[in-house]
Amino acid sequence: MPLRAGKFELHEVRDGTFALDGGAMFGVVPRVLWEKKFAPDDRNRITLGLRCLLVVDGKRKILVDCGIGRRWDAKHVDMYRIDHSQLDLDRELARAKVKREEITDVIITHLHFDHVGGLTREGGAGQVEMSFPNATYHLQRRNWVWAHHASEKDAGSFRAATYEALERSGRLHLLEGATELCPGVDIFVSEGHTVGLQLVKVSDGDRTVVFCGDLVPTTAHLRAAWVMAYDLYPLTTIEEKKMLLAQAAEEGWVLFFEHDPGVAACTVKEDQGEVVVNEAIKV
Ligand SMILES: [Zn+2]
C-alpha cells in the first residue's frame, strides 16, 4: 500500500539488500550494544536495506536514489553480500505500476556507490545505458565536485564509472543548496555524512515525509551518538540529526529510512532525552 501525503503517492522501491561492517555503521558504539539490534554475520557484517523512495504526482514521477545496481563483479558481490534474489528495482517498480521510462526525475542524495549503482545498467550488446532514459538527474554541485577529488577517507565510496555515465547522459542538473523541486517537494542539504548530501521533504495536506538518507540511515541511528564511522564530520551529523528529529517529533513527520532492513518509515517521539520510534508505518 502506498503512503499518501495529500496529492502525492509514495512507494518504497527496494533494490535488494547488501551488507557492511557493523562497526563502521555505528562508529564509536561498541559491538555489545549494536549487535542486539543487528546480528552480524561471521565477517562482522550486518544486513542493510537499499530502499529508494518513489514519489508520484500524476505524470511527475520522482525517484529518490536508485540502489546499488547490478553492475558488480563476483568479488564485490561477495564483499558487500549484494543480494537481489528477492527484490530489485524492476520488480519493485512493476509493483508500483511505474515503468523506468516514466521516471521524470531522479534525486541523487550523493554519489556513494550504494545510492547510485542503479543509475546505469547493461543495455543491448553489452553497452552501458542510463536506467531512467527520460529522467533529469538532480545532484548538489558540491557533492559532484567533491566526488571528483574525494579524500583518502572516503575515496573508496565512489565509483568513477557511474558519474562519468551521468555526465555523458547530458541529463545531470546540478543544484546549489536548498531547492524547491516542485510545490510540495523540497530538497535540503546536510553536511555531516559527506559534502553536499541532499535530502528530500515531501509535504501536502496534513502529512510530511522526510527521506533521511545517510543522515539517519536506520531506526538505530535515531540515537544521537549512533553515527556512522563513514561520516566525514560526525559532530555535524549529530547536530543536524538532533535538529531534524526534534522537528519531526514536534510536528508528527514521517521519517523514511534508506538502509533499515525492516522498518521503511515511522513517526518519532521524545523519550527521556532521546528520540525513539513512535509508530512504524508501512509504505
Ligand atoms: Zn553514503
Side-chain angles (χ1 to χ4, degrees), residues 67 110-117 143 154 157-158 193-194 214 230:
H110 62 309
L111 289 169
H112 286 169
F113 66 78
D114 53 320
H115 302 259
V116 293
N143 192 254
D154 63 340
S157 297
F158 297 101
H193 176 63
T194 182
D214 277 351
Y230 299 111

